[in-house]
Amino acid sequence: MEKRVMTDSKRRKGLTVASALLGGVLMLSACSGGGGDNPKGDDEGDGSSQSKVDEAAAKKTSEAQIKITPKDGSDNASINNAAAVTVTKGTLSDVTMKTSAGAAVEGEISADKKSWKPSGQLERATAYKIAATAKDSAGRAAHENASFTTVSPANSFIGNFTPEDGSTVGVGMPVSINFDKAITNKADVQKGITVSSTSGQEVVGHWFNAQRLDFRPEEYWKGNSTVTLKLNLDGVEGADGVYGVQQKTVTFKIGRNQVSIVDAKTKTMKVTQDGKTIRTIPISAGSPENKTYEGQMVISEKFKETRMNGATVGFTDDDGKGEYDIKDVPHAMRLSNSGTFIHGNYWGAKSIFGSVNTSHGCVGLSDTKGANDTKSPGGWFYSNSIVGDVVDVRNTGDKTVAPDNGLNGWNLDWAAWKAGSAA
């Protein structure tokens, strides 16, 4: 399944939960794939197979409609009255809210189970994530995920960063900092930030724009090393009259080296650890009309189940509704800001995996509805993957994913990366 902003075709118009939250920057999620009644059709299909798949998925999905406020991606949300969850055609069964650092926020579901809100005031300049589950009258679960950042004082800036302190991540995870205001004094701000590794690798910062600064070494981090991020920004003037307030040290560990190579031509994925193939999995990538991006993509988020709605990214029918709206996509892992995921697929015929590319742009793995089958290809890969692992997608016929589309700066060569440093 794929969400991209498209300009040259229907495939381009749709691509842009919730979120590779890189410090409060939210990315949408939606894409779909399946085999319908023509599981052994060729890649050139006329579209009828896709419509059958979408129709089959619609019959299996929940009627519950979850709404999360503030709007996904809001970066100036109120600390008092912004956060809320409501549901129609169903009842809420679970709502969790956490800061980007993982701290839980207390909240209550109403007596009629139609709404939820936090129990107290939120913090300023803080990124939050909300995950909600509701069930319809038939007991079918729907899921919704959203992220937002609360308002910050006008005369200060905050750098929201990933990964979080104390986490263990894959070898592809950069340090990515998103500032809540445009930085004009880039050199001064970058000098106030240091990133080092016990591996001894040289680490260099790269500005993608006035608000995003990423750090990485030339090659992937060495497995089992420890990385330290120091923010010494208190009093640093990032722009005229706007000063930093952070004084913080963050450490995280690099896990085993896992890189998975997706080949859209052979329709397989080889999962490697420390250079050795540990499993080969049949896959179904983007159809010829909706090709999957090529390139080295880093898993930025994991969702046991999530909703993917074509309408949010431009995949719509004549009535304006999404070509697909699947509210319980299992084992979904984000690969780009624009909506590229690798995820489980329970609605497509088992025979499509390894034989035909059918999705709206994502990489699909055979899976089971409910996301509780850890032995399915989708469940196994989800259980054996961590945020920061690399998925290297090849032979799709599409362009290489943009380096700033997700945590995918590895698609810049080292000289170009270093040219983006202000230090």
Side-chain angles (χ1 to χ4, degrees):
M1 298 186 176
E2 172 77 9
K3 290 182 167 185
R4 307 190 198 165
V5 176
M6 303 183 179
T7 57
D8 57 342
S9 68
K10 183 176 182 180
R11 172 174 65 87
R12 291 292 179 223
K13 76 175 181 180
L15 310 174
T16 300
V17 46
S19 108
L21 175 70
L22 305 179
V25 175
L26 172 75
M27 284 59 72
L28 300 175
S29 65
C31 60
S32 173
D37 295 333
N38 186 28
K40 294 185 179 180
D42 61 48
D43 283 5
E44 298 298 326
D46 61 4
S48 60
S49 177
Q50 185 67 62
S51 64
K52 291 177 182 179
V53 171
D54 296 337
E55 181 180 357
K59 292 179 179 178
K60 298 179 181 180
T61 195
S62 175
E63 293 183 354
Q65 302 287 333
I66 302 171
K67 180 181 180 181
I68 298 176
T69 55
K71 183 180 179 180
D72 276 359
S74 297
D75 59 3
N76 218 17
S78 167
I79 63 173
N80 296 300
N81 303 308
V85 180
T86 58
V87 64
T88 57
K89 298 182 180 181
T91 56
L92 290 171
S93 56
D94 184 64
V95 179
T96 60
M97 182 175 180
K98 295 181 179 180
T99 68
S100 59
V105 176
E106 293 185 358
E108 295 179 352
I109 295 177
S110 62
D112 63 0
K113 297 185 179 181
K114 293 290 187 180
S115 64
W116 176 95
K117 63 180 181 180
S119 300
Q121 186 183 70
L122 304 182
E123 297 293 330
R124 288 181 180 271
T126 301
Y128 290 95
K129 295 182 179 183
I130 295 178
T133 301
K135 293 184 178 180
D136 64 11
S137 58
R140 294 172 298 189
H143 305 270
E144 194 79 31
N145 296 276
S147 303
F148 63 93
T149 303
T150 50
V151 63
S152 59
N155 64 339
S156 66
F157 70 88
I158 294 288
N160 295 297
F161 57 84
T162 190
E164 64 188 56
D165 189 31
S167 60
T168 297
V169 297
V171 296
M173 174 61 77
V175 172
S176 186
I177 304 171
N178 278 262
F179 299 101
D180 61 351
K181 292 182 176 63
I183 302 300
T184 56
N185 300 329
K186 292 181 179 179
D188 289 344
V189 170
Q190 188 172 336
K191 288 175 183 177
I193 303 171
T194 59
V195 181
S196 59
S197 172
T198 56
S199 67
Q201 292 171 277
E202 179 188 11
V203 183
V204 176
H206 179 95
W207 291 87
F208 285 113
N209 52 52
Q211 290 184 253
R212 179 174 172 184
L213 172 62
D214 283 17
F215 290 83
R216 70 165 176 89
E218 182 175 4
E219 305 294 340
Y220 298 142
W221 300 103
K222 300 297 184 184
N224 303 309
S225 58
T226 299
V227 179
T228 299
L229 161 66
K230 292 185 177 181
L231 298 170
N232 295 304
L233 297 174
D234 191 16
V236 175
E237 189 171 23
D240 187 20
V242 180
Y243 297 87
V245 296
Q246 290 168 297
Q247 196 77 25
K248 189 176 184 65
T249 298
V250 173
T251 61
F252 59 94
K253 293 186 180 299
I254 305 299
R256 75 287 178 272
N257 181 316
Q258 179 165 304
V259 177
S260 300
I261 301 172
V262 171
D263 189 330
K265 186 175 182 179
T266 64
K267 302 170 186 65
T268 59
M269 176 174 68
K270 291 184 178 181
V271 183
T272 71
Q273 288 189 1
D274 300 319
K276 297 180 180 179
T277 300
I278 62 171
R279 183 165 178 173
T280 300
I281 300 175
I283 61 94
S284 182
S287 68
E289 299 79 15
N290 302 295
K291 297 181 180 71
T292 307
Y293 283 135
E294 294 188 0
Q296 302 167 78
M297 292 183 249
V298 175
I299 295 174
S300 59
E301 289 186 294
K302 294 179 64 183
F303 301 105
K304 184 178 179 183
E305 292 179 284
T306 194
R307 175 187 182 187
M308 292 184 177
N309 181 5
T312 64
V313 290
F315 284 114
T316 57
D317 294 322
D318 292 340
D319 59 4
K321 295 183 178 180
E323 292 179 3
Y324 55 87
D325 187 0
I326 305 173
K327 298 173 184 175
D328 58 350
V329 176
H331 301 128
M333 292 175 282
R334 181 183 292 281
L335 299 179
S336 79
N337 293 0
S338 60
T340 312
F341 278 75
I342 184 167
H343 62 79
N345 177 329
Y346 66 80
W347 53 91
K350 301 299 182 184
S351 58
I352 68 171
F353 303 101
S355 63
V356 61
N357 293 322
T358 61
S359 84
H360 284 79
C362 289
V363 178
L365 312 176
S366 180
D367 212 331
T368 305
K369 185 178 177 68
N372 292 315
D373 184 358
T374 59
K375 294 183 179 180
S376 69
W380 181 90
F381 188 65
Y382 183 90
S383 298
N384 287 275
S385 297
I386 59 176
V387 169
D389 283 348
V390 179
V391 178
D392 188 347
V393 181
R394 304 175 182 178
N395 299 323
T396 69
D398 202 12
K399 66 182 181 181
T400 300
V401 66
D404 61 346
N405 187 358
L407 302 175
N408 299 325
W410 303 103
N411 295 289
L412 277 180
D413 65 36
W414 191 233
W417 184 267
K418 295 178 76 172
S421 174

